Amino acid sequence: MDRLTAMRVFCEVALSGSFTATADKLEMSRAMVTRHVAEMEDWLQARLLHRTTRRVTLTDAGEQALRRSQQMLELAATVEEETAAGADTLRGQLRLTCSMSFAHAHLAAAIAAFLALHPRLRIDLNVGDSALDLVEARIDLAIRISRDPAPLLIARPLAPCDSVLVAAPAYLALRGTPQQPAELAAHRCLSHTHFGKSTWTLSRDAQALDVDVSSHCTANESTVLLHAALAGGGIALLPTYLANAAVARGELQVVLADWRLPPMTIYALYASRRHLSPAVRALLDFLVERFSSPPW
């Protein structure tokens, strides 16, 4: 059997803890997954996995084999990319992670445009706001919105991320439009769980105010807040990349437009500059260029 394939199968079993899940992901039979793992153990003359009816875990030898196998698979992918026919031909798979709101609003279209330029590439996108360990999850690139990105990661700015207060016209007609930040305390507010859940900071000129708000609905995902606002649920604090289209259509109105919310930045994050593949470099350059003039 192909030892690189056996390594790939072994790594998937080790990371998922399941022969069945690995078979489903790699689109092969469970028996074939078992044969590949057995080939690895025969080749290395060591037991790599503890198997029980409930779980699969690594032995000490398996821990070492996993690290080395991941390194060899990464090297093999790099060799394949660098020796591909044609200087501009990129191939293989990239793993990305991004928040649902930005992926839905802008990144999905960007990925489609990038893949149209490089049809031999494949991209696997993990959508969610949880902070994944990029090395453990084998993520090539994370698109995150932050004021201070993780110091142990390489951060490349893609675009500014401003926020805005918005509400549906029907809600404002019923409850009134606040003219001063202090009036927000009397309104139903829609807040992100991890950003301004109970206090919104607004600034104008040299004046900055912290306003305590009553968050009648909180969510850990901005798209949920967008739809709650569209349904007339209250005043929402949303990133402009998500809110501006609804504002342009008249479905939402900006509240306290002359006050600013703390700005953040959209970053592309990756674990190390060493061994950065041509495909990742190409995607980074593409995203920087695409968002150099943010459409929102």
Side-chain angles (χ1 to χ4, degrees), residues 64-266:
Q64 297 178 29
L66 176 62
R67 289 194 297 271
R68 295 303 186 189
S69 295
Q70 289 173 324
Q71 292 170 354
M72 292 181 71
L73 289 170
E74 182 180 347
L75 180 60
T78 300
V79 171
E80 182 179 4
E81 289 171 356
E82 291 179 348
T83 58
D88 297 325
T89 300
L90 299 177
R91 63 179 67 188
Q93 176 170 283
L94 298 180
R95 292 181 173 86
L96 276 62
T97 184
C98 181
S99 70
M100 181 183 295
S101 62
F102 190 71
H104 178 271
H106 297 284
L107 187 63
I111 287 173
F114 180 71
L115 290 177
L117 298 174
H118 305 286
R120 302 194 69 174
L121 272 177
R122 291 172 291 116
I123 288 180
D124 178 58
L125 178 60
N126 181 303
V127 175
D129 283 340
S130 59
L132 297 177
D133 183 313
L134 302 192
V135 176
E136 182 177 334
R138 295 182 299 150
I139 298 294
D140 297 297
L141 208 60
I143 310 301
R144 290 298 186 214
I145 300 168
S146 174
R147 291 197 191 95
D148 300 302
L152 297 181
L153 298 175
I154 310 301
R156 188 166 179 182
L158 297 180
C161 180
D162 293 323
S163 296
V164 67
L165 299 180
V166 292
Y171 171 85
L172 296 175
L174 180 66
R175 301 293 298 270
T177 302
Q179 302 300 314
Q180 296 295 328
E183 297 175 29
L184 291 171
H187 281 267
R188 303 176 72 87
C189 294
L190 312 173
S191 302
H192 197 287
T193 305
H194 305 302
F195 176 71
K197 180 177 181 180
S198 58
T199 303
W200 291 351
T201 300
L202 294 92
S203 61
R204 185 176 63 182
D205 301 326
Q207 182 183 15
L209 298 175
D210 289 333
V211 181
D212 293 331
V213 295
S214 178
S215 296
H216 287 258
C217 176
T218 60
N220 67 341
E221 215 299 305
S222 295
T223 309
V224 175
L225 302 177
L226 169 67
H227 287 286
L230 289 168
I235 299 174
L237 191 164
L238 294 174
T240 55
Y241 70 72
L242 192 61
N244 276 5
V247 171
R249 293 191 298 266
E251 297 169 348
L252 293 175
Q253 291 180 207
V254 176
V255 174
L256 298 172
D258 54 344
W259 290 81
R260 285 180 54 82
L261 291 150
M264 293 193 287
T265 301
I266 302 170

